[in-house]
Amino acid sequence: MGIYAHIIKDWQKHDPEKVFMDATKVCYTINAMFNFGNVKMFFPDGKLKHTSVGIIDDKVSSSKANENQFIFNIQGVNDEDIELGLDKDLDYLVPNKRLCSLAYIEKVRDSNTELIFRFAYEYLKLNQDEYFWFEWDYAFSWNDMIKLKKLPFNKNWCFINPDTL
């Protein structure tokens, strides 16, 4: 697979520090390691531009051979992108919500879809007006995640059209 999963939300409500804190809460809840190297980039005005953390399933070894992990990237709002209208690029998913990808997971693989599901479920539980979107047309809402949670786990859950749940 090797695709990216995005958290999309209204850019006007985005607070990268809150996303960071919510990710720490989620990792605690799902018993995953939260590996933060304190590397941050900032916009000229001092606002956070980008940071990333490693999220590793705590049930397995944290060695490089462990593929049940992912990198979670958190971005700040780039005003130049908003001026170009990039907050309308995802209107086909949820019309007129002014959604942007402001956090994303590198890379979705067969070996980490269960960890990503646990992360997405708990993250959306905290942020029910946001969506988890994969680099194709499927965006999962909090209600979609509730429906998926009731089903037996399918490692290909991110390929299931949520409209068919």
Side-chain angles (χ1 to χ4, degrees), residues 19-114:
V19 174
F20 183 89
M21 296 308 295
D22 287 350
T24 62
K25 288 179 198 174
V26 167
C27 286
Y28 179 82
T29 301
I30 67 172
N31 198 30
M33 289 184 269
F34 185 86
N35 185 7
F36 179 58
N38 201 23
V39 176
K40 301 174 286 238
M41 292 183 284
F42 297 91
F43 288 111
D45 65 2
K47 293 180 183 171
L48 183 68
K49 182 177 185 177
H50 180 265
T51 192
S52 62
V53 297
I55 298 178
I56 306 163
D57 191 341
D58 203 20
K59 295 183 281 187
V60 293
S61 165
S62 61
S63 72
K64 289 187 179 196
N66 173 13
E67 292 189 4
N68 198 12
Q69 59 185 308
F70 57 85
I71 303 296
F72 184 59
N73 295 280
I74 303 167
Q75 305 173 121
V77 174
N78 184 346
D79 293 331
E80 293 173 8
D81 289 343
I82 301 304
E83 288 173 16
L84 291 172
L86 294 182
D87 61 333
K88 295 173 186 69
D89 283 356
L90 299 173
D91 276 2
Y92 72 97
L93 293 171
V94 186
N96 302 312
K97 289 279 191 168
R98 304 186 67 144
L99 301 174
C100 292
S101 169
L102 295 166
Y104 61 94
I105 289 174
E106 303 174 27
K107 297 189 176 174
V108 178
R109 302 185 278 289
D110 286 341
S111 57
N112 66 4
T113 59
E114 190 264 340

